[in-house]
Amino acid sequence: MPPLPKWLVPRPRLTERLSRGVLKPLTVVVGPVGAGKSALAVEWAHTGRAPGPVAWVTCDGREEEPAVFWPRVLGALRESGVDLPWPDTVAAGPLLVADLAALLTARREPVVLVLDDFKAEPDSPIAEGVAGLLRHTPEALRLLVLARRDPPLHLHRHRLVGDLTELRTADLAFDDGETGALLAQHGVEVPKSVLSTLRQRTDGWAAGLRLAAMSMEHHPQPAQFVARFAGDDESVVTYLVEEVLDVQPPDMRHLLLTTSIVDPLNADLAAVLAGPEAGRHFTALVRQNSFLQSVGQGWFRCHQMFAAVLRVSLRHESPGLVDDLHRRAAAWLAEHGLLAQAVDHALAADDWDYAARLIVHRLAIGQVLGLTSARLPDALCARVPAGPPPAAPEPALVAAAAAAARPDAAACATALEQAADAMSRLPEDTGDRAARCRLCHAVVRMALEHGRDVRVARAAAGEADDLIAQLPQEALADRPEIKALTLIVRGRASLRSGSPKAAETSLTGCLKAAGAAGNGVLRRDSLVELALLEALRGRFRAAGEFAAQAGRPPLPAWTPSAPSRSTLLVVRAWVDLARGEPGAARRQLAQARAALRGGSDTFTSGVADLVGGLLTAAERGAARVPESVVAATASWLPPGLRQSVERACTVCLGAPCGRARRPAPGQEAAPAPPVEPLSPRERDVLERLARMMTTEEIAEDIYLSVNTVKTHLKSVYRKLAVTRRSAAIRRAVELGLLSPSPFGPPKVGAGTPR
């Protein structure tokens, strides 16, 4: 057994696993070179927690002969104290394995046999002999195998019967505490954040951490060293090239180098990059190289430091091949629906035009604009080329979207003009390319203008609707962000043009589409617009509920420049005034006016002025809306909203929202109208309805089908004598089915109205 080295970093969490593992027949520790396999086994062996004597055999590699291997095993067993009545010269073969198995089985105490750096090939005499010895000594032999790849010992069979313990690359990775102990051995002290960064950069690889620590011993600024330390560090490159890369056969070496540009990797992609002949070695590569770890479904991820070394070697040996490999990878990934990765490789090949064509053809312009939870590579916005206008429309369209996402309205408008010019010169036989380009152009215009010029945005939304009708349905099947953006543009425009019902339909539709796209911003903005709509109708409780929903996580917080923030503040001010809280209303209104200063949203500014006039009237004790306030609405309030706004103003200056109006002396309060009791399941649906959950979300939350939820909703609407979601919520609050909670989701009450 090797002696315990002084530099060893104690790893009790792993030695404990080995102590439990050797109570079973087979334990394997599989990891790449420098992962600390042997050091861990030595540490464990010196803990004294083995169930019997420990015999240690250091193997000689793939070419080791049975005539050398088995005498070493016998010698190690003798040195550990196992009595073997055999001469020193014994013919290696099946008879020796059988006799050894019989002798070990006759023992009362088990023996632990450690095979360090075991590299026997499948079906080789040594592999068959060790597997046979293990099979015939299930109670007497405890085999601990340290290897860089899975040993050919029928692991699946042992795994099925539960007598196998495995420690792999991820298990061997150092944690932050062990990394700190290793650095301390070299006299290096760094903050915890720097230490964690170093551990992440190396993936906890023991050899990489040791090489870094050695380099940091005399470095004047260790933190700066860690910031630059990566797989291209000279010591790391030299170590891995000598220990791993240079010992590979030519075909395997070519496969490693050419596939290093992608992460993760599968067999088909490997064949595209390395060629069919080299691609056939992929299975062997995965089996023989523990630097490649499975991430499921046939995909493998390479250890990041080893991948960096491979890329350095590739650029050094074949610099002219790198761009071509990236283009091949981009084409394969795009063909298989992995757009973000395809764009990343197109950019790596410095092929901006191809990246732009991929984005526009897949109608993924929303991912550049930030309309989806999935984003295209950050490098996309940073790599927009400067220079003369492009001849094709796609690069200009992506440049416009990138500018809108920054945001840079001037640059976006310039790029949109360039794209329009290029689209006008497209040949007529371009199939649906022109339609896709024009749709992306309309989407960027909507994103740019929906918070600035409602009319321009609405025109772009109309154009988008026409273009969507021209494209195959499957082209937009996975693009709900385009539908969500179109709906909120249409909803805002409908509200500001005096069509509240159309606005409500579009905005509630946007909630669903934005949820499908993972777009919290559009979902939040739709809730704000619905809150404004309800306030204009005089339904201040519903407005407060929508406003509260819009400000509740996981929806994103507002940026100072977000157009919907000022609208939300105005709604909150109006709701506070309706509650009889003029002080809170005054504070909200002051913030709203500051946010609106210099903006172009005349509609929201008009509402803010209206609320300000009502607030002043309320503070003076006025019972009627001043004529000056009514006259001021003529410039911005469309006819379709005048009646509802007048009613809202009257309500606001009457009884505060949420407080019951007291009947006149001698007059009894009107009883609540009769309603049929709701069933428990209908109550569940009603509660989730008040949380602004979609029908699909309600179905998933209470484990019902969508059709069943729709049936319950129809029944709830019938029993409450309403026809809409917002009316059902408001009616349920009035009847006591939902508890009033303006700043949180209403909750189902305990009682049922009679």
Side-chain angles (χ1 to χ4, degrees):
M1 187 192 309
L4 191 67
K6 295 180 180 180
W7 48 261
L8 189 139
V9 176
R11 310 186 74 186
R13 64 184 178 93
L14 296 184
T15 56
E16 174 63 26
R17 290 183 61 179
L18 289 185
S19 296
R20 294 195 303 268
V22 295
L23 299 178
K24 299 178 181 180
L26 178 60
T27 301
V28 296
V29 182
V30 179
V33 58
K37 303 180 294 295
S38 300
L40 173 63
V42 168
E43 181 189 358
W44 167 80
H46 283 275
T47 62
R49 298 185 60 184
V54 178
W56 190 289
V57 176
T58 301
C59 303
D60 267 350
R62 301 177 184 175
E63 307 303 325
E64 190 168 22
E65 295 293 332
V68 177
F69 174 79
W70 288 110
R72 279 185 175 167
V73 172
L74 297 176
L77 289 169
R78 287 197 184 102
E79 289 179 7
S80 68
V82 178
D83 184 21
L84 296 175
W86 279 340
D88 292 337
T89 55
V90 180
L95 290 179
L96 182 150
V97 174
D99 290 341
L100 178 57
L103 288 171
L104 292 176
T105 303
R107 288 176 51 84
R108 296 181 179 179
E109 185 183 35
V111 178
V112 179
L113 176 60
V114 181
L115 299 181
D116 188 13
D117 201 18
F118 188 63
K119 297 179 181 177
E121 293 290 335
D123 301 323
S124 66
I126 291 179
E128 293 296 328
V130 173
L133 179 64
L134 183 62
R135 184 168 59 253
H136 293 295
T137 56
E139 301 299 329
L141 182 65
R142 305 288 186 264
L143 187 60
L144 173 57
V145 180
L146 316 176
R148 297 185 186 181
R149 60 176 183 174
D150 281 359
L153 300 177
H154 310 292
L155 297 188
H156 291 297
R157 182 185 305 164
H158 290 282
R159 197 176 287 124
L160 284 173
V161 298
D163 58 12
L164 170 64
T165 300
E166 301 174 85
L167 276 76
R168 299 191 171 272
T169 303
D171 304 304
L172 296 170
F174 273 50
D175 60 21
D176 284 355
E178 293 161 348
T179 301
L182 187 151
L183 294 181
Q185 290 181 351
H186 294 265
V188 177
E189 293 186 11
V190 293
K192 289 184 178 180
S193 59
V194 176
L195 183 147
S196 181
T197 299
L198 177 63
R199 192 261 307 160
Q200 292 171 9
R201 284 178 177 270
T202 59
D203 279 342
W205 178 44
L209 290 169
R210 182 72 68 180
L211 291 170
M214 292 168 63
S215 300
M216 294 166 68
E217 279 184 340
H218 306 293
H219 199 281
Q221 295 179 311
Q224 289 188 5
F225 173 86
V226 171
R228 295 192 302 268
F229 183 73
D232 57 356
D233 183 84
E234 183 179 357
S235 59
V236 175
V237 172
T238 301
Y239 179 81
L240 287 176
V241 167
E242 292 179 354
E243 292 289 333
V244 182
L245 190 57
D246 285 349
V247 300
Q248 300 293 331
D251 286 345
M252 199 69 74
R253 192 177 192 278
H254 174 71
L255 180 58
L256 279 169
L257 290 175
T258 53
T259 58
S260 64
I261 65 159
V262 293
D263 184 33
L265 174 72
N266 68 6
D268 290 342
L269 184 51
V272 168
L273 296 173
E277 291 299 323
R280 293 193 184 99
H281 299 288
F282 183 75
T283 302
L285 174 68
V286 170
R287 187 179 68 247
Q288 296 175 13
N289 199 309
S290 49
F291 274 117
L292 286 169
Q293 297 295 308
S294 173
V295 293
Q297 298 183 336
W299 290 89
F300 295 84
R301 187 176 298 281
C302 187
H303 188 287
Q304 62 178 342
M305 295 206 78
F306 185 45
V309 168
L310 292 174
R311 289 192 288 269
V312 168
S313 300
L314 176 65
R315 287 195 300 268
H316 176 71
E317 296 179 15
S318 306
L321 185 60
V322 176
D323 284 352
D324 181 58
L325 289 172
H326 279 297
R327 290 190 186 93
R328 287 191 228 167
W332 188 92
L333 291 164
E335 183 181 349
H336 289 78
L338 301 171
L339 180 64
Q341 296 92 321
V343 170
D344 203 12
H345 284 282
L347 294 175
D350 202 24
D351 196 341
W352 166 260
D353 288 356
Y354 180 54
R357 288 198 305 274
L358 285 176
I359 294 168
V360 173
H361 180 72
R362 302 297 172 87
L363 299 177
I365 203 75
Q367 295 185 32
V368 185
L369 291 164
L371 299 179
T372 62
S373 55
R375 294 295 299 270
L376 289 173
D378 292 336
L380 183 68
C381 294
R383 298 278 294 275
V384 177
E394 290 89 350
L397 287 168
V398 176
R406 286 199 289 271
D408 186 341
C412 179
T414 300
L416 283 173
E417 290 179 4
Q418 295 172 351
D421 181 63
M423 285 190 296
S424 68
R425 290 183 274 105
L426 282 176
E428 295 183 359
D429 57 345
T430 55
D432 64 0
R433 178 189 175 190
R436 292 174 188 265
C437 288
R438 288 200 297 272
L439 177 56
C440 289
H441 193 274
V443 170
V444 177
R445 295 201 327 270
M446 283 192 288
L448 179 66
E449 300 292 350
H450 90 275
R452 305 194 313 166
D453 192 323
V454 174
R455 288 174 296 179
V456 173
R458 187 173 196 171
E463 183 179 344
D465 285 336
D466 294 339
L467 291 165
I468 288 171
Q470 298 176 25
L471 292 170
Q473 290 187 355
E474 58 271 17
L476 289 152
D478 58 348
R479 296 287 176 253
E481 68 275 7
I482 295 179
K483 181 180 180 182
L485 180 61
T486 305
L487 285 171
I488 194 171
V489 165
R490 191 182 297 130
R492 292 183 81 249
S494 296
L495 178 58
R496 283 152 179 77
S497 63
S499 302
K501 290 185 178 180
E504 184 175 29
T505 300
S506 295
L507 292 170
T508 52
C510 178
L511 285 177
K512 180 179 178 180
N519 189 319
V521 173
L522 289 183
R523 187 173 174 85
R524 180 199 68 193
D525 291 355
S526 295
L527 289 168
V528 171
E529 289 295 316
L530 285 167
L532 177 61
L533 171 60
E534 295 298 339
L536 292 168
R537 287 170 165 173
R539 301 169 181 174
F540 295 107
R541 187 184 304 282
E545 291 166 359
F546 280 123
Q549 287 282 338
R552 186 177 298 124
L555 295 181
W558 273 267
T559 60
S561 60
S564 59
R565 178 172 175 268
S566 57
T567 305
L568 178 74
L569 292 169
V570 171
V571 172
R572 284 178 174 173
W574 206 349
V575 171
D576 285 339
L577 175 59
R579 289 199 191 100
E581 301 174 7
R586 182 68 70 184
R587 289 191 294 273
Q588 296 280 5
L589 190 59
Q591 295 181 49
R593 283 176 167 158
L596 285 166
R597 193 174 296 120
S600 58
D601 190 350
T602 56
F603 187 84
T604 303
S605 297
V607 178
D609 292 339
L610 172 63
V611 174
L614 293 173
L615 180 56
T616 301
E619 290 172 338
R620 293 175 179 174
R624 297 181 60 185
V625 182
E627 291 296 331
S628 60
V629 174
V630 175
T633 63
S635 62
W636 61 271
L637 187 63
L641 287 173
R642 290 191 184 280
Q643 186 175 359
S644 63
V645 169
E646 289 174 5
R647 184 169 57 251
C649 293
T650 302
V651 169
C652 190
L653 293 181
C657 173
R659 300 180 184 178
R661 293 180 181 271
R662 295 183 179 180
Q667 181 183 9
E668 295 184 0
V675 62
E676 183 182 342
L678 301 183
S679 69
R681 184 56 81 186
E682 289 168 351
R683 289 172 176 274
D684 291 339
V685 172
L686 178 62
E687 181 184 8
R688 286 155 180 80
L689 197 70
R691 296 180 190 169
M692 297 310 300
M693 295 173 69
T694 64
T695 305
E696 290 75 9
E697 290 169 341
I698 295 173
E700 182 178 357
D701 195 43
I702 57 178
Y703 305 103
L704 295 176
S705 70
V706 173
N707 287 335
T708 302
V709 171
K710 289 180 179 178
T711 300
H712 285 311
L713 283 173
K714 289 179 181 178
S715 180
V716 169
Y717 290 166
R718 177 181 59 80
K719 291 179 179 181
L720 297 182
V722 297
T723 58
R724 298 192 307 274
R725 172 191 292 259
S726 58
I729 297 170
R730 184 172 62 257
R731 183 72 167 151
V733 170
E734 293 171 352
L735 295 173
L737 291 172
L738 295 175
S739 61
S741 182
F743 293 96
K747 297 180 180 178
V748 174
T752 301
R754 298 178 180 177

